[in-house]
């Protein structure tokens, strides 16, 4: 086909097999592709395969590979890889199941609930599973009465054995029977697996538990589909492994288990496995995760279950120990040439142990190992064997003993299980080795591959047959389709007389033949066969082209492994054994066999016969195929090796099935799927309603395709046709994309133009504004300059005037100052003289004054010093604190002294000046007169100055005081600042503490709020528990009363009789009721019964009313209806029983009759329609009985009973109410001392019977509703095709609301619920029962919808989520309409499905984190359930991506971690089958019924037994 740029393709690559790629350039002869590894490769178009363009949508995988758009090799490979990454290990290919080994535990896939989910479900309806295949085979066997077979194949380590176990486990689950003895058939079949694994499985390079034999388990069933028998057949046990193993492989498991068995190993003189030659050829003795000793005891337990006696078990393990000792026997050359003998004492010890364990003669054992006898006509010739021949003889004996022991074990298992010869149908499970191709391939690989060739031929025929059946079911015209057959391959191997097996047998018959002669003859006869090739570097090796590839075989050991000699000495040795098991394995040979020491038997021919018988068995059955795949060679989970899986798919025939499909119509799509994908090719026909088949035909005709067929439901296309449609679809989508892009670009360009235009207008407006602002600024600056110039000129003129004025004034002042200074200097000189005179006079007086003053001061200082010293001691402490203040004070005092001194000097100078003025006044009168004015002025100035000095003195004193105060204030302020800083630090620390305390307070408040809420919850629970405790105390009181009454009754009545009546009336098995009457009666509560000869017990009235059963039967069988909401039948029955004093009778026949009549009505065909009627009647009758018993004091507290009762013979000492008093007086008047006790017993018994009856009716009604609603739910979980999103027709906005259902499926459920409510209300069922019933019904709806969502991938889609969400909204509306009185908590019961559907319909799932999903969106769902939904989800509406890979990986890790910790790992929900109420709940919830106003129906008026009711009315 032609590829264009952008096409998605697959390109072949050596390392990965196939790589995803995209075409980047398409040339004429080559195509350039870009791989997923970002490499560009140029390849031929023929080497490319097309890839689906929409594969990333819908999760990127399909559960059935026939749904792949391109059914090719890489599509199959990568589909398996994507599913394996999501732990989806099962995938269908049509009816073939492919199982990929997860190499981890997935217990949630295999529990009993999962088996129940797949029970009876059609193959393909649920997710792929091995249980689905097993169920399909079982249903086909039951329905068609034809035997089935399940073929499990795969390479070593792929999980064949585990898959076989699961199939057998499921078959025993659906076809199991009740265990009649200690060992049922199904249990023995299951337990045979570990037993056969111990003796037939071993560790290989690829698998720790590889089956080294083929096994076909045939499970037989009877006509009812129950297991009736079983048989096990085995094929080609690898006997050579007993004597030869390679490192790191192991021998069969049983040898290592026996060596680790402890005391049993010591009993057989066994040590560690490394001490035995048959085991120490490999250094691997232990398996990871497996304890050999535990496995040993499991093997012994399996032997017990399958019926092997302890003596036979001992013989089996002795034989195994003997084989190990036999392998340690070594030989050395004997005295004669070509002879041998036991090498040393160690070998002799092992020889003796072997003889002891085999219970045979040691000498005979040595003789059989070191020599052989030849019978001739002259006599017997004994020929000695050399060391090599003796070793080979020893190994032959070991292999023969083990092989026969294994065959005996299988035969004994079959005998123990037992076969059903009358069985008409069987299911066979074939667990056989897969195709093997190693570096060195020997005879075992040749036989295994031969078996796989035969099975592949059968597989091809089956696949071709299934193809033809599908063509026939779709009613299309088809012709015979040729497919590659491998008959020529089988002829090469098994055809006589020149097949490989025939030539090998012929070579084995001649003693002197070697592998060289065999190979030469084979090449000579078969050289022309196209499947056989001769290798280049070996003359004896040959290659065969199998269906799975070419395999090269080495013929070195072909002849030895094909010869199965029957050595006469070995048979004689072991037939003479004293061990019955061994002697039975080796019976004496016939006469003609004894003549030859070695009797040849061909292993290949015997295997061919077994294989032919197996193929005949398989041909007579309908086959089912399970192909197991090993994802990697290191047995690690989540590792997928492409090349290895691709090789296994080829070997398993899966790709061969693909080729067969490609030969016919490989592409098949339902019409709806075809229209969804290719409807875009004819958009003109997609408008409105259309016929999908006609539309499909129109599309194909428009594309001018011829190689197609239209079936009933599907369209079939030849190979390559889907690619043509995809190319045309891609062109249409490309054209549409171009158109959309053109429109979008136009929109963007116009948007950019409008945006640019608006921007230019804005720029122009801004520029104009800037220009206008600039012009305004210039004009403003010009006006400002003119104003500035005016003011500057004014200032200059003003300044010049002021300078001239000030110059004139300065000159005048200078002249005047000069004159005044000259005059003042004269006066100053005069004053100076006067000052000097006055100073001298003052000096003389002052010196004298100073002398007296010093003496006085000295005396004063001495005295003051004396006083100061006294005060010094007192003030020293305070002086230290006020030191700085004192210094400042001293300085201020010094300054004050200086100022005082200056003031006195100035005063004295002034006084002297005045004196000189007075002396010279007389001399200078004239001068004084002229200067009198000036002198007066000077005097006035001096006075003013003096006044100023005085004022300054006062101010100085005030300032000194203020300074002192300021000093003290400053000190105080400094201290306050220090304190303030300290306080600030304290406040800061306190604020920090306050913030911490506020945080703690907020957290404490939150915690207190939480604790308050918890306390409220606890208080609510406590009150609820107290209420329950009160109820339980009342119930305990009632039960004690009942128990006391029943014990008293049991004292007089046979427990057997009462228990039989009671069990028969309720319908329970006797084993459940025996404990009621087997409790011994305490003697302290019982007093001797006094017997009076003078009084006779009068018969109770009920004995005179045995004919009243008829009226009760009519009341029960006929529908008497209701009156004012009260059930008539219950009221009439209760009135009759009360009138007939049935509660006073010792016999319970009338109660048994009532219960039996109700049970008979419920067993009738039309009983389902009357269940609500009888639920209403029985519950009303039970409540009447319960409330009447309580109101009449029949149930009292234990203390009241102990005080009021004096034993069986005592009378009532205290009466609670008048009614009871009258009743007790009437009893006493009749002289019946036991009446009250006897009156309690039938009422208690009848109440128990009614309780069981109510629970039975409720459960039956609930189960019937579940059965009726199940088909409606099965069609509601998946949206009909008409409501799904069509291409190009999705809603315009992703946020559009959920679509409304366009069909009536959900309406049917709502109608069903409405009909149910109408029925329950018509029958006046109490709201308590309706609420419980609706709640359990909605819980069942939640479980069914949620489980279906998790099991069906087509349901986990966006459009289906919208559909289910719209349906749930209808249920929510219905719940709201019926009110909480009847619906209860039904809406909360839908939590799981509501959250799951809400998760499906949210947008932008890739942005959601794991916390948001698990805590906000789906808080009720577990991580396993969320992971299941995420792995199955795909968006079929908007084709968007799902959850991000990081979130999915995180969920997968959490699921894997939690797998080992969970008890139940199932992601499905379990149904609740319990009864959600008790008798006390009924009495408290259902209101009391007033039966007094219920009248007798007219149909019963003529009956004589109820005339008392007419009289009363």
């Amino acid at each position: 086909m032609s590829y264009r740029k952008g096409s998605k393709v697959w390109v072949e690559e050596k390392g990965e097999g196939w790589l995803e790629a995209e075409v980047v350039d398409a040339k004429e002869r080559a195509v350039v592709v870009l791989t997923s590894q970002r490499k560009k490769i140029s390849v031929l178009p023929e080497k490319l395969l097309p890839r689906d363009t929409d594969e990333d949508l819908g999760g990127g995988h399909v559960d059935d590979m026939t749904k792949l758009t391109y059914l090719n090799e890489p599509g199959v490979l990568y589909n398996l890889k994507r599913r394996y990454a999501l732990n989806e290990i099962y995938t269908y290919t049509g009816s073939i199941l492919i199982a990929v080994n997860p190499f981890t535990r997935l217990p949630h896939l295999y529990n009993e609930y999962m088996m129940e989910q797949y029970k009876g479900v059609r193959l393909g309806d649920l997710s792929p599973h091995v249980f689905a295949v097993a169920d399909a085979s079982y249903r086909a066997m039951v329905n068609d009465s034809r035997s089935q077979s399940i073929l499990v194949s795969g390479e070593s380590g792929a999980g064949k054995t585990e898959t076989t176990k699961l199939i057998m486990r499921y078959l025993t689950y659906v076809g199991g029977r009740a265990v009649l003895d200690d060992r049922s058939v199904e249990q023995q079949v299951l337990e045979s697996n570990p037993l056969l694994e111990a003796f037939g499985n071993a560790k290989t390079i690829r698998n720790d538990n590889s089956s080294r034999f083929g096994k076909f388990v045939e499970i037989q069933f009877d006509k009812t589909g129950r297991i009736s028998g079983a048989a096990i057949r085995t094929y080609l046990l690898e006997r050579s492994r007993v004597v030869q193993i390679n490192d790191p492989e192991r021998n069969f498991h049983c040898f290592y288990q026996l060596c680790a068995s402890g005391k049993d190993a010591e009993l057989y003189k066994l040590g560690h496995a490394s001490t035995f030659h048959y085991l120490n050829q490999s250094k691997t003795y232990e398996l990871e995760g497996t304890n050999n000793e535990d496995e040993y005891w499991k093997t012994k337990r399996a032997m017990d279950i399958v019926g092997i006696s302890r003596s036979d078990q001992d013989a089996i393990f002795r034989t195994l120990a003997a084989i190990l000792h036999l392998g340690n026997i070594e030989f050395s050359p004997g005295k004669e040439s070509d002879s041998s003998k036991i090498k040393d004492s160690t070998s002799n010890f092992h020889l003796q142990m072997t003889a002891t364990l085999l219970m045979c003669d040691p000498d005979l054992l040595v003789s059989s190992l070191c020599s052989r006898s030849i019978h001739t006509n002259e006599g017997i010739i004994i020929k000695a064997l050399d060391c090599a021949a003796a070793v080979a003889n020893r190994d032959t004996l070991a292999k023969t003993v083990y092989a026969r022991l294994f065959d005996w074990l299988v035969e004994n298992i079959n005998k123990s299980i037992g076969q059903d010869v009358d069985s008409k149908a069987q299911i066979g499970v074939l667990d056989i080795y897969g195709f093997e191709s190693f570096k060195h391939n020997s005879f075992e690989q040749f036989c295994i591959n031969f078996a796989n060739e035969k099975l592949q031929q059968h597989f091809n025929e089956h696949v071709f047959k299934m193809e033809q059946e599908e063509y026939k079911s779709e009613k299309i015209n088809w012709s015979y389709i040729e497919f590659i057959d491998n008959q020529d391959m089988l002829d090469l191997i098994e055809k006589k007389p020149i097949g490989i097996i025939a030539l090998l047998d012929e070579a084995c018959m001649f003693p002197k033949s070697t592998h060289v002669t065999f190979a030469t003859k084979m090449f000579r006869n078969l050289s022309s066969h196209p499947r056989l090739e001769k290798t280049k570097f070996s003359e004896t090796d040959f290659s065969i082209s199998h269906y799975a590839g070419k395999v090269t075989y080495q013929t070195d050991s072909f002849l030895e492994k094909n010869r199965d000699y029957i050595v006469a000495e070995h048979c004689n040795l072991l037939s003479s054994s004293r061990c019955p098991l061994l002697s039975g394995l080796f019976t004496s040979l016939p006469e003609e066999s004894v003549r030859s020491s070695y009797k040849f038997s061909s292993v290949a021919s015997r295997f061919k016969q077994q294989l032919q018988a197996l193929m005949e068995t398989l041909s007579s059955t309908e086959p089912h195929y399970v192909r197991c795949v090993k994802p990697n060679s290191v047995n690690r989970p989540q590792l997928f090796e492409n090349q290895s899986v691709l090789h296994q798919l080829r070997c398993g025939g899966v790709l061969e099935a693909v080729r067969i499909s490609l030969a016919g119509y490989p592409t098949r799509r339902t019409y709806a799927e075809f229209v969804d994908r290719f409807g875009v090719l004819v958009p003109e026909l997609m408008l409105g309603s259309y016929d999908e088949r006609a539309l499909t035909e129109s599309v194909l005709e428009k594309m001018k395709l011829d190689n197609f067929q239209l079936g009933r439901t599907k369209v079939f296309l030849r190979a390559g046709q889907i690619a043509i449609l995809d190319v045309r679809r891609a062109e249409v989508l490309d054209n549409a994309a171009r158109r959309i892009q053109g429109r979008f670009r136009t929109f963007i360009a116009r948007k950019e133009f409008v945006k640019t235009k608006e921007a230019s207008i804005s720029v122009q407006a801004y520029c104009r504004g800037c220009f206008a602002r600039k012009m305004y600024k210039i004009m403003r600056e010009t006006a400002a300059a003119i104003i500035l110039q005016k003011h500057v000129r004014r200032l200059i003129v003003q300044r010049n005037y002021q300078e001239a004025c000030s110059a004139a004034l300065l000159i005048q002042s200078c002249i005047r100052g000069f004159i005044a200074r000259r005059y003042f200097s004269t006066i100053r000189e005069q004053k100076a003289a006067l000052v000097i005179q006055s100073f001298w006079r003052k000096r003389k007086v002052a010196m004298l004054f100073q002398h007296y003053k010093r003496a006085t001061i000295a005396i004063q200082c001495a005295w003051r010093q004396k006083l100061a010293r006294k005060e010094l001691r007192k003030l020293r402490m305070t002086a230290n604190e006020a030191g700085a203040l004192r210094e400042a004070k001293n300085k201020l005092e010094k300054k004050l002294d200086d100022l005082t001194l200056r003031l006195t000097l100035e005063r004295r100078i002034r006084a002297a000046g005045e004196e000189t003025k007075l002396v010279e006044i007389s001399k200078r009168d004239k001068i004084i007169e002229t200067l009198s004015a000036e002198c007066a002025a000077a005097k006035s100035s001096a006075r003013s100055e003096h006044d100023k000095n005085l004022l300054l003195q006062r101010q100085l004193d005030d300032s000194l005081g203020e300074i002192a105060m300021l000093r003290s204030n400053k000190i105080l302020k400094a201290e306050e600042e220090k304190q303030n800083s300290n306080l600030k630090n304290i406040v800061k620390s306190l604020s920090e503490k306050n913030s911490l305390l506020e945080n703690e307070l907020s957290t404490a408040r939150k915690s207190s709020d939480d604790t308050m809420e918890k306390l409220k919850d606890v208080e609510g629970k406590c009150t609820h528990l107290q209420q329950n405790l009160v109820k339980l105390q009342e119930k305990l009181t009632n039960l004690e009363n009942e128990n006391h009454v029943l014990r008293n009754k049991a004292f007089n009545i046979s427990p057997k009789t009462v228990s039989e009546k009671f069990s028969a009336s309720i319908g329970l098995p006797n084993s459940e009721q025996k404990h009621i009457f087997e409790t011994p009666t305490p003697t302290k509560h019982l007093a001797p019964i006094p017997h009076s000869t003078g009084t006779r017990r009068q018969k109770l009235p009920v004995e005179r009313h045995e004919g009243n059963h008829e009226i009760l039967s009519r009341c029960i069988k006929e529908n008497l209806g209701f009156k004012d909401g009260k059930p008539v039948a219950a009221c009439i029955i209760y009135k009759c029983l009360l009138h007939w004093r049935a509660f006073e009778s010792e016999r319970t026949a009338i109660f048994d009759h009532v219960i039996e009549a109700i049970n008979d009505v419920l067993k009738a065909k039309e009983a389902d329609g009357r269940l609500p009627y009888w639920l209403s009647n029985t519950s009303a009758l039970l409540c009447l009985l319960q409330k009447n018993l309580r109101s009449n004091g029949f149930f009292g507290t234990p203390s009241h009973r102990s005080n009021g009762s004096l034993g069986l013979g005592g009378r009532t000492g205290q009466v609670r109410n008048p009614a009871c008093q009258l009743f007790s007086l009437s009893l006493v008047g009749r002289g019946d001392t036991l009446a009250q006790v006897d009156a309690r017993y039938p009422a208690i018994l009848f109440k128990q019977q009614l309780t069981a009856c109510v629970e039975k009716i409720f459960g039956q009604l609930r189960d019937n509703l579940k059965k009726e609603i199940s088909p409606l739910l099965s069609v509601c979980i998946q949206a009909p095709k008409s409501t799904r999103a069509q291409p190009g027709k999705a809603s315009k906005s992703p946020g559009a609301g959920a679509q409304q259902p366009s069909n009536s499926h959900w309406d049917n459920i709502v109608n069903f619920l409405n009909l149910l409510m109408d029925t329950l209300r018509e029958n006046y069922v109490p709201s308590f029962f309706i609420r419980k019933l609706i709640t359990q019904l909605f819980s069942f709806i939640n479980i069914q919808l949620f489980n279906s969502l998790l099991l069906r991938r087509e349901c986990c889609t966006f459009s289906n989520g919208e559909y289910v969400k719209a349906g749930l909204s209808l249920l929510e509306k219905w719940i709201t309409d019926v009110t909480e009185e009847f619906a209860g908590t039904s809406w909360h019961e839908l939590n799981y499905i509501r959250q799951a559907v809400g998760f499906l319909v949210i947008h932008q799932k890739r942005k959601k984190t794991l916390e948001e999903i698990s805590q906000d969106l789906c808080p009720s769902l577990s991580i396993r359930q969320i992971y299941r939904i995420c792995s199955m989800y795909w968006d079929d509406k908007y084709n968007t991506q799902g959850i991000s890979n990081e979130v999915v990986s995180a969920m997968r890790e959490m699921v894997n971690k939690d797998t080992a910790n969970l008890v139940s790992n199932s992601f499905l929900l379990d149904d609740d089958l319990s009864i959600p109420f008790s008798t006390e709940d009924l009495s408290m919830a259902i209101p009391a019924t007033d039966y007094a106003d219920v009248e007798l129906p007219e149909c019963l008026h003529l009956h004589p037994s109820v005339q008392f009711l007419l009289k009363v009315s």
Side-chain angles (χ1 to χ4, degrees), residues 40 136 366 485 804 841:
K40 286 188 177 181
V366 173
D485 194 5
R841 295 185 188 102

Side-chain angles (χ1 to χ4, degrees), residues 633-757:
S633 57
V634 293
N635 299 350
R636 283 175 50 195
Q638 294 300 321
L639 179 62
F640 196 89
E641 297 175 354
N642 289 2
Q643 284 286 13
S644 174
V645 174
L646 204 57
H647 174 70
Q648 293 177 67
L649 292 176
R650 290 168 182 157
C651 296
V654 177
L655 299 183
E656 188 69 23
V658 172
R659 294 189 189 97
I660 294 174
S661 298
L662 290 174
Y665 295 96
T667 304
R668 56 205 68 176
R669 291 285 182 274
T670 63
Y671 292 121
E673 292 173 349
F674 188 86
V675 170
D676 280 347
R677 188 174 179 87
F678 300 108
V680 293
L681 300 179
V682 285
E684 66 276 3
L685 301 178
M686 293 289 292
L687 300 175
S689 60
Y690 51 83
D691 182 15
E692 293 177 342
R693 191 177 191 278
L695 188 59
T696 301
E697 188 173 5
S698 301
V699 172
L700 296 173
E701 289 176 354
K702 185 177 180 179
M703 295 297 103
K704 297 179 181 179
L705 298 180
D706 298 329
N707 295 326
F708 68 88
Q709 292 284 345
L710 297 177
R712 292 189 305 105
T713 61
K714 298 179 183 178
V715 57
F716 294 80
L717 300 173
R718 288 280 191 181
Q721 301 298 306
I722 196 73
I724 297 173
L725 290 171
D726 272 340
V727 170
R728 180 57 185 154
R729 176 175 176 265
E731 292 176 356
V732 172
L733 292 178
D734 286 348
N735 293 334
R738 291 191 192 97
R739 187 175 301 173
I740 294 171
Q741 288 172 359
R743 297 289 184 185
F744 186 71
R745 286 171 183 154
T746 302
F747 170 75
I748 294 298
R750 186 181 181 283
K751 189 176 180 180
E752 288 294 330
F753 170 74
V754 173
K755 188 176 180 181
T756 305
K757 183 180 177 181

Side-chain angles (χ1 to χ4, degrees), residues 401-462:
V401 171
Y402 191 83
R404 296 204 178 187
L405 178 63
F406 185 80
D407 293 339
W408 178 89
L409 198 61
V410 174
E411 182 182 358
N412 197 72
I413 290 174
N414 288 334
K415 288 180 180 178
S416 176
I417 295 175
Q419 300 189 41
D420 184 9
V421 295
D422 299 328
S423 176
K424 300 298 181 183
Q426 302 87 26
I427 296 180
V429 182
L430 178 63
D431 176 12
I432 200 165
Y433 15 66
F435 189 89
E436 292 186 353
S437 178
F438 304 121
K439 187 176 181 180
H440 299 284
N441 301 286
S442 186
F443 178 71
E444 289 84 7
Q445 282 70 42
F446 175 75
C447 293
I448 288 171
N449 293 341
F450 168 52
N452 279 275
E453 286 285 354
K454 295 283 283 186
L455 293 173
Q456 184 62 30
Q457 185 186 41
H458 184 267
F459 175 72
N460 290 347
E461 293 175 355
H462 170 71

Side-chain angles (χ1 to χ4, degrees), residues 1050-1065:
F1051 187 80
N1052 294 325
I1053 302 175
S1054 173
K1056 184 175 180 181
T1057 306
V1058 177
S1059 62
E1060 288 175 355
K1061 287 183 180 181
F1062 185 60
S1063 61
S1065 62

